[in-house]
Structure formats: C-alpha cells, structure tokens
Short mmCIF file of all heavy atoms in Angstrom, two decimals:
data_model
loop_
_atom_site.label_atom_id
_atom_site.label_comp_id
_atom_site.label_asym_id
_atom_site.label_seq_id
_atom_site.Cartn_x
_atom_site.Cartn_y
_atom_site.Cartn_z
N MET A 15 -1.42 -5.35 6.51
CA MET A 15 -2.27 -6.02 5.52
C MET A 15 -2.05 -7.54 5.54
O MET A 15 -3.01 -8.30 5.39
CB MET A 15 -1.99 -5.47 4.13
CG MET A 15 -2.41 -4.01 3.95
SD MET A 15 -1.68 -3.25 2.48
CE MET A 15 -2.23 -4.39 1.22
N HIS A 16 -0.83 -7.99 5.76
CA HIS A 16 -0.52 -9.42 5.76
C HIS A 16 -1.01 -10.10 7.02
O HIS A 16 -1.36 -11.30 7.00
CB HIS A 16 0.97 -9.65 5.61
CG HIS A 16 1.50 -9.29 4.26
ND1 HIS A 16 2.83 -9.32 3.93
CD2 HIS A 16 0.88 -8.88 3.14
CE1 HIS A 16 3.02 -8.95 2.69
NE2 HIS A 16 1.82 -8.65 2.16
N SER A 17 -1.02 -9.38 8.14
CA SER A 17 -1.22 -10.06 9.43
C SER A 17 -2.39 -9.54 10.24
O SER A 17 -3.05 -10.31 10.94
CB SER A 17 0.05 -9.96 10.29
OG SER A 17 1.18 -10.40 9.58
N ASP A 18 -2.69 -8.23 10.21
CA ASP A 18 -3.63 -7.65 11.14
C ASP A 18 -4.95 -7.20 10.54
O ASP A 18 -5.86 -6.79 11.27
CB ASP A 18 -2.98 -6.44 11.84
CG ASP A 18 -1.69 -6.82 12.58
OD1 ASP A 18 -1.65 -7.98 13.06
OD2 ASP A 18 -0.77 -6.02 12.62
N ALA A 19 -5.06 -7.24 9.21
CA ALA A 19 -6.31 -6.81 8.57
C ALA A 19 -7.39 -7.86 8.83
O ALA A 19 -7.10 -9.01 9.18
CB ALA A 19 -6.08 -6.64 7.07
N PRO A 20 -8.69 -7.46 8.69
CA PRO A 20 -9.77 -8.44 8.91
C PRO A 20 -9.61 -9.72 8.09
O PRO A 20 -9.91 -10.79 8.54
CB PRO A 20 -11.02 -7.66 8.51
CG PRO A 20 -10.65 -6.23 8.70
CD PRO A 20 -9.21 -6.12 8.41
N ILE A 21 -9.18 -9.58 6.87
CA ILE A 21 -8.80 -10.71 6.02
C ILE A 21 -7.44 -10.42 5.43
O ILE A 21 -7.19 -9.28 5.03
CB ILE A 21 -9.83 -10.92 4.89
CG1 ILE A 21 -11.21 -11.21 5.49
CG2 ILE A 21 -9.41 -12.07 3.98
CD1 ILE A 21 -12.29 -11.40 4.45
N ARG A 22 -6.56 -11.37 5.37
CA ARG A 22 -5.21 -11.17 4.89
C ARG A 22 -5.24 -10.69 3.43
O ARG A 22 -5.94 -11.28 2.61
CB ARG A 22 -4.40 -12.47 5.01
CG ARG A 22 -2.90 -12.28 4.80
CD ARG A 22 -2.11 -13.29 5.65
NE ARG A 22 -2.53 -14.63 5.40
CZ ARG A 22 -1.91 -15.46 4.52
NH1 ARG A 22 -0.84 -15.06 3.89
NH2 ARG A 22 -2.33 -16.70 4.35
N ILE A 23 -4.48 -9.62 3.17
CA ILE A 23 -4.49 -9.00 1.83
C ILE A 23 -3.05 -9.07 1.30
O ILE A 23 -2.10 -8.67 1.97
CB ILE A 23 -4.95 -7.55 1.88
CG1 ILE A 23 -6.33 -7.46 2.48
CG2 ILE A 23 -4.92 -6.94 0.48
CD1 ILE A 23 -6.81 -6.04 2.71
N ILE A 24 -2.91 -9.55 0.06
CA ILE A 24 -1.65 -9.49 -0.65
C ILE A 24 -1.75 -8.38 -1.69
O ILE A 24 -2.65 -8.37 -2.51
CB ILE A 24 -1.30 -10.82 -1.32
CG1 ILE A 24 -1.18 -11.93 -0.28
CG2 ILE A 24 0.00 -10.72 -2.12
CD1 ILE A 24 -0.99 -13.31 -0.87
N HIS A 25 -0.86 -7.40 -1.59
CA HIS A 25 -0.95 -6.23 -2.48
C HIS A 25 -0.73 -6.64 -3.92
O HIS A 25 -1.52 -6.30 -4.81
CB HIS A 25 0.07 -5.16 -2.06
CG HIS A 25 -0.07 -3.85 -2.77
ND1 HIS A 25 0.33 -3.66 -4.08
CD2 HIS A 25 -0.61 -2.70 -2.38
CE1 HIS A 25 0.09 -2.46 -4.46
NE2 HIS A 25 -0.50 -1.81 -3.44
N GLY A 26 0.33 -7.36 -4.24
CA GLY A 26 0.57 -7.88 -5.56
C GLY A 26 1.30 -6.96 -6.53
O GLY A 26 1.73 -7.39 -7.58
N ASP A 27 1.43 -5.67 -6.19
CA ASP A 27 2.12 -4.75 -7.08
C ASP A 27 2.85 -3.67 -6.27
O ASP A 27 2.62 -2.48 -6.45
CB ASP A 27 1.11 -4.09 -8.05
CG ASP A 27 1.79 -3.38 -9.20
OD1 ASP A 27 2.95 -3.71 -9.51
OD2 ASP A 27 1.15 -2.47 -9.81
N VAL A 28 3.71 -4.15 -5.35
CA VAL A 28 4.47 -3.22 -4.50
C VAL A 28 5.59 -2.60 -5.34
O VAL A 28 6.47 -3.29 -5.84
CB VAL A 28 5.04 -3.96 -3.28
CG1 VAL A 28 5.89 -3.00 -2.45
CG2 VAL A 28 3.94 -4.55 -2.44
N LYS A 29 5.54 -1.26 -5.50
CA LYS A 29 6.55 -0.54 -6.25
C LYS A 29 6.56 0.90 -5.78
O LYS A 29 5.62 1.37 -5.13
CB LYS A 29 6.28 -0.62 -7.75
CG LYS A 29 4.92 -0.11 -8.17
CD LYS A 29 4.72 -0.28 -9.66
CE LYS A 29 3.33 0.19 -10.10
NZ LYS A 29 3.10 0.03 -11.53
N SER A 30 7.62 1.64 -6.12
CA SER A 30 7.79 3.00 -5.59
C SER A 30 6.72 3.94 -6.11
O SER A 30 6.34 4.91 -5.44
CB SER A 30 9.16 3.54 -5.96
OG SER A 30 9.35 3.51 -7.38
N SER A 31 6.16 3.69 -7.31
CA SER A 31 5.11 4.59 -7.81
C SER A 31 3.78 4.33 -7.13
O SER A 31 2.84 5.14 -7.28
CB SER A 31 4.94 4.40 -9.31
OG SER A 31 4.65 3.06 -9.63
N ASN A 32 3.65 3.24 -6.35
CA ASN A 32 2.43 2.99 -5.58
C ASN A 32 2.59 3.40 -4.12
O ASN A 32 1.74 3.09 -3.28
CB ASN A 32 2.03 1.52 -5.65
CG ASN A 32 1.39 1.17 -6.98
OD1 ASN A 32 0.91 2.05 -7.68
ND2 ASN A 32 1.36 -0.12 -7.32
N ILE A 33 3.71 4.08 -3.82
CA ILE A 33 3.89 4.65 -2.47
C ILE A 33 3.70 6.17 -2.59
O ILE A 33 4.60 6.86 -3.05
CB ILE A 33 5.31 4.32 -1.90
CG1 ILE A 33 5.60 2.82 -2.01
CG2 ILE A 33 5.41 4.81 -0.46
CD1 ILE A 33 4.63 1.95 -1.26
N LEU A 34 2.51 6.63 -2.24
CA LEU A 34 2.24 8.08 -2.34
C LEU A 34 2.81 8.79 -1.11
O LEU A 34 2.97 8.19 -0.04
CB LEU A 34 0.73 8.31 -2.44
CG LEU A 34 0.02 7.63 -3.58
CD1 LEU A 34 -1.44 8.01 -3.59
CD2 LEU A 34 0.66 7.96 -4.93
N LEU A 35 3.09 10.08 -1.28
CA LEU A 35 3.66 10.88 -0.19
C LEU A 35 2.78 12.11 0.05
O LEU A 35 2.40 12.80 -0.90
CB LEU A 35 5.10 11.34 -0.53
CG LEU A 35 6.10 10.24 -0.84
CD1 LEU A 35 7.43 10.84 -1.25
CD2 LEU A 35 6.31 9.36 0.40
N ASP A 36 2.47 12.37 1.32
CA ASP A 36 1.68 13.57 1.61
C ASP A 36 2.63 14.77 1.78
O ASP A 36 3.85 14.66 1.53
CB ASP A 36 0.78 13.38 2.83
CG ASP A 36 1.55 13.19 4.13
OD1 ASP A 36 2.80 13.38 4.15
OD2 ASP A 36 0.93 12.85 5.14
N ASP A 37 2.13 15.88 2.23
CA ASP A 37 2.93 17.11 2.34
C ASP A 37 4.08 16.96 3.32
O ASP A 37 5.08 17.67 3.21
CB ASP A 37 2.05 18.29 2.76
CG ASP A 37 1.06 18.63 1.66
OD1 ASP A 37 1.32 18.32 0.50
OD2 ASP A 37 0.02 19.24 1.98
N ASN A 38 3.98 16.01 4.25
CA ASN A 38 5.04 15.80 5.25
C ASN A 38 5.92 14.59 4.88
O ASN A 38 6.66 14.09 5.74
CB ASN A 38 4.43 15.59 6.63
CG ASN A 38 3.67 16.80 7.12
OD1 ASN A 38 4.15 17.92 6.93
ND2 ASN A 38 2.50 16.58 7.71
N PHE A 39 5.80 14.11 3.62
CA PHE A 39 6.52 12.93 3.14
C PHE A 39 6.18 11.69 3.95
O PHE A 39 7.03 10.82 4.16
CB PHE A 39 8.03 13.20 3.14
CG PHE A 39 8.48 14.21 2.15
CD1 PHE A 39 8.74 15.51 2.54
CD2 PHE A 39 8.57 13.90 0.80
CE1 PHE A 39 9.12 16.47 1.63
CE2 PHE A 39 8.97 14.86 -0.13
CZ PHE A 39 9.25 16.15 0.28
N THR A 40 4.95 11.59 4.43
CA THR A 40 4.48 10.37 5.08
C THR A 40 4.02 9.42 3.98
O THR A 40 3.31 9.78 3.06
CB THR A 40 3.30 10.69 6.02
OG1 THR A 40 3.76 11.61 7.02
CG2 THR A 40 2.79 9.43 6.69
N ALA A 41 4.45 8.14 4.10
CA ALA A 41 4.15 7.15 3.06
C ALA A 41 2.71 6.70 3.15
O ALA A 41 2.15 6.54 4.25
CB ALA A 41 5.09 5.96 3.21
N LYS A 42 2.08 6.51 1.95
CA LYS A 42 0.70 6.02 1.88
C LYS A 42 0.70 4.94 0.78
O LYS A 42 0.85 5.24 -0.41
CB LYS A 42 -0.25 7.12 1.49
CG LYS A 42 -0.31 8.28 2.50
CD LYS A 42 -1.28 7.98 3.60
CE LYS A 42 -1.51 9.19 4.49
NZ LYS A 42 -2.52 8.97 5.52
N VAL A 43 0.51 3.66 1.17
CA VAL A 43 0.47 2.56 0.20
C VAL A 43 -0.86 2.65 -0.56
O VAL A 43 -1.93 2.80 0.04
CB VAL A 43 0.58 1.21 0.91
CG1 VAL A 43 0.48 0.07 -0.11
CG2 VAL A 43 1.90 1.12 1.67
N SER A 44 -0.78 2.57 -1.88
CA SER A 44 -1.97 2.76 -2.73
C SER A 44 -2.05 1.69 -3.82
O SER A 44 -1.17 0.83 -3.93
CB SER A 44 -1.94 4.14 -3.36
OG SER A 44 -0.90 4.23 -4.33
N ASP A 45 -3.12 1.79 -4.61
CA ASP A 45 -3.36 0.98 -5.82
C ASP A 45 -3.45 -0.52 -5.49
O ASP A 45 -2.50 -1.30 -5.62
CB ASP A 45 -2.24 1.21 -6.85
CG ASP A 45 -2.68 0.75 -8.23
OD1 ASP A 45 -3.71 0.05 -8.32
OD2 ASP A 45 -2.04 1.12 -9.22
N PHE A 46 -4.66 -0.91 -5.11
CA PHE A 46 -4.94 -2.31 -4.79
C PHE A 46 -5.71 -2.98 -5.92
O PHE A 46 -6.53 -3.89 -5.68
CB PHE A 46 -5.74 -2.38 -3.47
CG PHE A 46 -5.01 -1.83 -2.28
CD1 PHE A 46 -5.11 -0.48 -1.97
CD2 PHE A 46 -4.19 -2.62 -1.53
CE1 PHE A 46 -4.43 0.05 -0.87
CE2 PHE A 46 -3.52 -2.11 -0.42
CZ PHE A 46 -3.63 -0.77 -0.12
N GLY A 47 -5.44 -2.53 -7.13
CA GLY A 47 -6.18 -3.03 -8.28
C GLY A 47 -6.04 -4.52 -8.50
O GLY A 47 -6.98 -5.19 -8.94
N ILE A 48 -4.86 -5.08 -8.22
CA ILE A 48 -4.67 -6.52 -8.44
C ILE A 48 -4.46 -7.25 -7.12
O ILE A 48 -3.94 -8.37 -7.10
CB ILE A 48 -3.51 -6.79 -9.41
CG1 ILE A 48 -2.19 -6.26 -8.83
CG2 ILE A 48 -3.77 -6.17 -10.76
CD1 ILE A 48 -0.99 -6.66 -9.67
N SER A 49 -4.81 -6.58 -6.01
CA SER A 49 -4.64 -7.22 -4.71
C SER A 49 -5.55 -8.45 -4.59
O SER A 49 -6.59 -8.53 -5.26
CB SER A 49 -4.95 -6.20 -3.59
OG SER A 49 -4.10 -5.12 -3.68
#
C-alpha cells in the first residue's frame, strides 16, 4: 500500500483487530475507514 499501489495509501489505523484471519490463519489487512 505504501509503495506499489496505484496511489500511495496510508492506512492510519493499524492494529491487531484490523488484521483479519481466514481459516488458514492467513492475515488480511482490513478497515480503511480513515485511510
């Protein structure tokens, strides 16, 4: 998001509750409400 996205995105609210986990415990960054 900082370097390779079409436009640089700052998440702004990086925290453990915004890191979702799928059935294989793969991390998924979520909640871009204040990005």
Side-chain angles (χ1 to χ4, degrees):
M15 293 165 55
H16 291 175
S17 307
D18 301 328
I21 299 178
R22 193 148 54 95
I23 303 173
I24 299 175
H25 189 283
D27 193 22
V28 177
K29 57 183 178 180
S30 57
S31 58
N32 283 341
I33 309 300
L34 303 183
L35 301 176
D36 67 8
D37 293 337
N38 297 319
F39 292 100
T40 299
K42 299 275 188 176
V43 178
S44 69
D45 199 346
F46 298 89
I48 62 173
S49 300

